Amino acid sequence: MSDSDCCLIVFAKEPVLGKVKKRLASDLGEDNALILYKAFLKDTYSIASLIPAHLRILAYESFGAIPQYLYSTFPHFIFYPQHGADLGMRIQDAVLYAKHM
């Protein structure tokens, strides 16, 4: 597979207090869970930037707001809002979107 055949899709949520890493928040607290999630996003971008891909898509959930943090953390990605009732449907939808790019 060449770089021209490779597409990378990252799934992420806009970091909003109380909306991310809920299971961790029960042990760490919502503030610390949010800080950790933001660090995870930055790490994900660093790793993703090393993967050769002709197309980079960020499938995002922003809870009805503009995903400002994600825009600043994932430059050079195409942003696509997640659609679907569960993760499997959201993955399928994002893959179909990527196929039509």
Side-chain angles (χ1 to χ4, degrees):
M1 181 183 299
S2 71
D3 293 357
S4 64
D5 298 330
C6 185
C7 173
L8 174 68
I9 304 174
V10 173
F11 287 79
K13 295 178 182 179
E14 178 72 2
V16 174
L17 188 66
K19 297 278 191 182
V20 295
K21 299 297 170 201
K22 291 179 183 180
R23 287 179 289 202
L24 283 175
S26 66
D27 291 328
L28 300 176
E30 289 183 347
D31 290 333
N32 288 331
L34 183 65
I35 291 167
L36 184 61
Y37 184 65
K38 287 180 176 181
F40 288 161
L41 289 172
K42 289 178 182 178
D43 289 346
T44 299
Y45 178 77
S46 294
I47 293 167
S49 67
L50 301 174
I51 298 170
H54 82 286
L55 184 61
R56 297 171 189 278
I57 297 171
L58 185 85
Y60 70 92
E61 169 60 59
S62 64
F63 313 104
I66 295 171
Q68 298 288 25
Y69 187 87
L70 292 175
Y71 280 140
S72 68
T73 305
F74 287 85
H76 315 298
F77 272 68
I78 296 168
F79 277 66
Y80 181 70
Q82 295 180 23
H83 300 100
D86 60 37
L87 181 58
M89 292 175 73
R90 292 189 295 270
I91 291 171
Q92 181 179 16
D93 180 69
V95 169
L96 290 173
Y97 173 76
K99 282 182 152 185
H100 291 99
M101 291 296 296

